[in-house]
Amino acid sequence: MVLLFFAKLNHDAHLRQARDKLAWDVTRLDGEMNRQAMFVRMLTHEVRTPLAIIDSHSQLLALKAQGGVPAEVMPIRAAVSRLSELMERCLAQDRHASIGSLRKAPMGLADILANVAQEAQARS
């Protein structure tokens, strides 16, 4: 009877340690996701201004040219357009990721194992 009590006590301590580690991991991952999102927002903000300047100067070159758009301007405008689209996709992805951020809710071990088993079956 005493051994059973100590075995249960040991088991509970291991479960508490595992739960605490998972909680710490979730907190750490949440922080890393927030830092990554902040980096993407800062990067896109910093890149947009130079792209706008490059695009406006290339438009001015096209306006100043007599007889049509110079051949040198078209690749510049195309590159600016590609980079601008990339920045917009990054921001859209960041907005989408922030909507589906981590949901923290208590979950039983049986539920976790059932989810893992379902994912494993879906992958095979």
Side-chain angles (χ1 to χ4, degrees), residues 56 101 107:
S56 64
S101 63
M107 197 170 187

Side-chain angles (χ1 to χ4, degrees), residues 48-117:
R48 278 181 169 174
T49 302
L51 284 177
I53 292 169
I54 292 168
D55 193 39
S56 64
H57 279 58
S58 65
Q59 289 177 27
L60 284 174
L61 285 173
L63 288 174
K64 287 180 180 179
Q66 304 288 336
V69 179
E72 298 87 10
V73 172
M74 296 309 290
I76 295 171
R77 303 271 336 265
V80 166
S81 178
R82 281 193 308 274
L83 286 172
S84 294
E85 285 179 30
L86 178 63
M87 294 295 112
E88 288 304 317
R89 280 187 296 206
C90 286
L91 285 175
Q93 193 174 27
D94 178 52
R95 282 190 293 271
H96 179 66
S98 67
I99 291 170
S101 63
L102 292 176
R103 292 175 304 216
K104 301 169 191 165
M107 197 170 187
L109 184 58
D111 295 332
I112 294 171
L113 293 175
N115 286 343
V116 170

Side-chain angles (χ1 to χ4, degrees), residues 21-32 102-104:
K21 184 181 180 327
L22 284 173
W24 185 83
D25 286 344
V26 166
T27 302
R28 184 179 55 82
L29 287 173
D30 198 29
E32 287 179 15
L102 292 176
R103 292 175 304 216
K104 301 169 191 165

